[in-house]
Amino acid sequence: MLERVKQWLRDVYVGEIKQSLHLTPDHVAVIQDGNRRYARERGLDPSDGHAHGAETTEEMLRWCTEFDITEVTLYTFSTENFARPEEELTELFDLIEDRLYSFADADLVHDNEVSIHGLGEIKRLPDRVGEAVTYAEQRTYQYDTLKLNIALAYGGRNELLRTAQQLTQEVADGDLDPEAITADLIGETLYRRPVQDVDLVIRTGGDERTSNFLPWHASGNEAAVYFCTPYWPEFSKVEFARAVRTYEAREQSWQETQLRRALSLVHAVKHTEYQPRTQLIQRLRDQLTRETATRFVDSVQTDTETTPADGDTKQAHPVSND
């Protein structure tokens, strides 16, 4: 009875958070830390901790669909994990293989149109794990409602290094103009399938670091980060909702900062010639979100109506708000 009351209270709490949210992330990246510590504190084998963690992963997919998240990346096996004892690696590879096959055939995945994709140096893994990755990708390639990236044999710096080597070789072979190397091209080259910029990074287990995870798409996008103490098998829907709320607060704060910076820059150049000033305003507007851009344009229009830029009494032309 007491447990049912607690669950009801948790559901109410999560529901209130969902109703209060105005912004939710598109891409959430998760560092699933604490499986082994969870098992050790309960006298279990490490494989049991990973198995309990896999159950949490299944639950999280349900939460993501509820919060309209369109892409999730799970840090499942890093390149550093190869240093673990052979016996533990064998059990972990067994679990990864089993879960990939079960995920690929699960009603949860097909009902919610989840596409599964492997990231990382898959060829470094045992063939049987690579075959499971291929099976999961082929079984779900037609879906696009929720993209589930499984980072295996993954290291962020390794990915950047491999991409740099590939692009350098293409330049040396004459297949690529150095001037054509852009941030977009690097992002497209990093993985076999495009990955969205990360909006929110979640790390469980108490450590407050992102461990070389998706540096181009997370650090480069200044993603919000949510650290929490529960081990991954203990991670709950309540913690997930709090993480999403953290993203919203971070995003709103960042938009306010962008707006203040943009307005400060416009005020600094308001006595310059009209054409360069309007070009600057337009460039700044294009860099803001739709809501922030509207507030920016309204503020600029109010300012130009009350404070003529060229020292005369004529009203400056309003900025287009199309």
Side-chain angles (χ1 to χ4, degrees):
M1 179 65 179
L2 179 59
E3 185 55 39
R4 282 190 295 176
V5 171
K6 289 181 178 179
Q7 185 59 51
W8 178 78
L9 290 173
R10 287 192 289 265
D11 291 341
V12 170
Y13 179 66
V14 171
E16 289 180 349
I17 291 179
K18 287 174 63 178
Q19 290 181 355
S20 68
L21 290 173
H22 300 288
L23 295 170
T24 56
D26 291 320
H27 185 181
V28 176
V30 184
I31 302 173
Q32 307 158 282
D33 198 13
N35 290 319
R36 290 187 298 170
R37 283 176 287 165
Y38 171 88
R40 184 168 58 247
E41 291 181 7
R42 288 160 178 75
L44 304 173
D45 291 333
S47 59
D48 294 323
H50 293 299
H52 285 292
E55 294 173 2
T56 301
T57 299
E58 293 183 25
E59 288 298 316
M60 194 192 66
L61 291 181
R62 295 186 175 89
W63 307 336
C64 287
T65 58
E66 289 183 29
F67 282 84
D68 297 324
I69 291 163
T70 59
E71 186 162 3
V72 181
T73 301
L74 305 177
Y75 206 174
T76 303
F77 187 88
S78 71
T79 50
E80 290 79 8
N81 289 151
F82 282 110
R84 292 183 178 181
E86 188 65 31
E87 181 180 351
E88 183 178 342
L89 285 177
T90 298
E91 293 176 344
L92 189 52
F93 290 145
D94 287 343
L95 177 63
I96 293 172
E97 177 188 3
D98 177 71
R99 289 295 173 170
L100 282 167
Y101 280 116
S102 62
F103 267 29
D105 294 328
D107 291 340
L108 168 67
V109 167
H110 294 280
D111 291 345
N112 292 286
E113 298 186 338
V114 179
S115 64
I116 301 173
H117 177 61
L119 298 182
E121 300 177 73
I122 307 297
K123 292 181 179 179
R124 292 185 60 183
L125 299 167
D127 290 342
R128 58 192 176 88
V129 178
E131 291 167 2
V133 171
T134 300
Y135 178 81
E137 291 180 339
Q138 291 177 347
R139 283 280 284 132
T140 62
Y141 77 93
Q142 72 273 26
Y143 300 136
D144 61 4
T145 300
L146 175 62
K147 294 168 62 178
L148 173 61
N149 304 315
I150 310 292
L152 296 165
Y154 179 85
R157 287 187 293 182
N158 286 349
E159 294 291 333
L160 291 173
L161 176 60
R162 180 191 60 77
T163 299
Q165 291 171 334
Q166 177 180 334
L167 295 179
T168 300
Q169 187 61 52
E170 291 180 14
V171 170
D173 293 341
D175 298 327
L176 179 65
D177 185 340
E179 297 297 325
I181 300 177
T182 62
D184 288 339
L185 178 61
I186 293 173
E188 293 168 2
T189 309
L190 274 169
Y191 309 113
R192 290 174 295 152
R193 187 178 71 170
V195 171
Q196 297 182 86
D197 283 340
V198 176
D199 300 307
L200 171 65
V201 178
I202 299 173
R203 179 166 189 152
T204 62
D207 282 345
E208 298 188 359
R209 51 196 173 91
T210 54
S211 296
N212 193 25
F213 188 33
L214 296 173
W216 186 267
H217 292 88
S219 300
N221 191 45
E222 299 190 37
V225 181
Y226 182 79
F227 298 117
C228 59
T229 55
Y231 300 137
W232 178 243
E234 302 170 315
F235 188 69
S236 66
K237 190 176 182 180
V238 169
E239 287 289 352
F240 185 78
R242 288 171 176 164
V244 174
R245 186 174 60 186
T246 296
Y247 161 77
E248 181 186 53
R250 163 67 175 76
E251 187 66 15
Q252 290 174 336
S253 174
W254 177 237
Q255 289 180 16
E256 290 293 334
T257 299
Q258 286 182 305
L259 178 60
R260 288 196 301 270
R261 289 176 178 174
L263 289 174
S264 295
L265 186 55
V266 170
H267 291 159
V269 299
K270 67 181 179 181
H271 294 296
T272 61
E273 295 181 4
Y274 172 74
Q275 188 63 29
R277 187 173 67 251
T278 55
Q279 291 174 349
L280 171 64
I281 291 172
Q282 192 64 42
R283 286 200 301 271
L284 291 171
R285 174 180 174 271
D286 291 342
Q287 295 173 12
L288 303 173
T289 64
R290 180 182 296 273
E291 178 183 353
T292 308
T294 300
R295 294 173 56 197
F296 170 66
V297 170
D298 290 343
S299 297
V300 171
Q301 288 177 337
T302 300
D303 183 68
T304 54
E305 289 169 2
T306 58
T307 309
D310 298 313
D312 56 22
T313 58
K314 294 188 294 181
Q315 177 178 312
H317 297 287
V319 180
S320 171
N321 193 25
D322 296 336

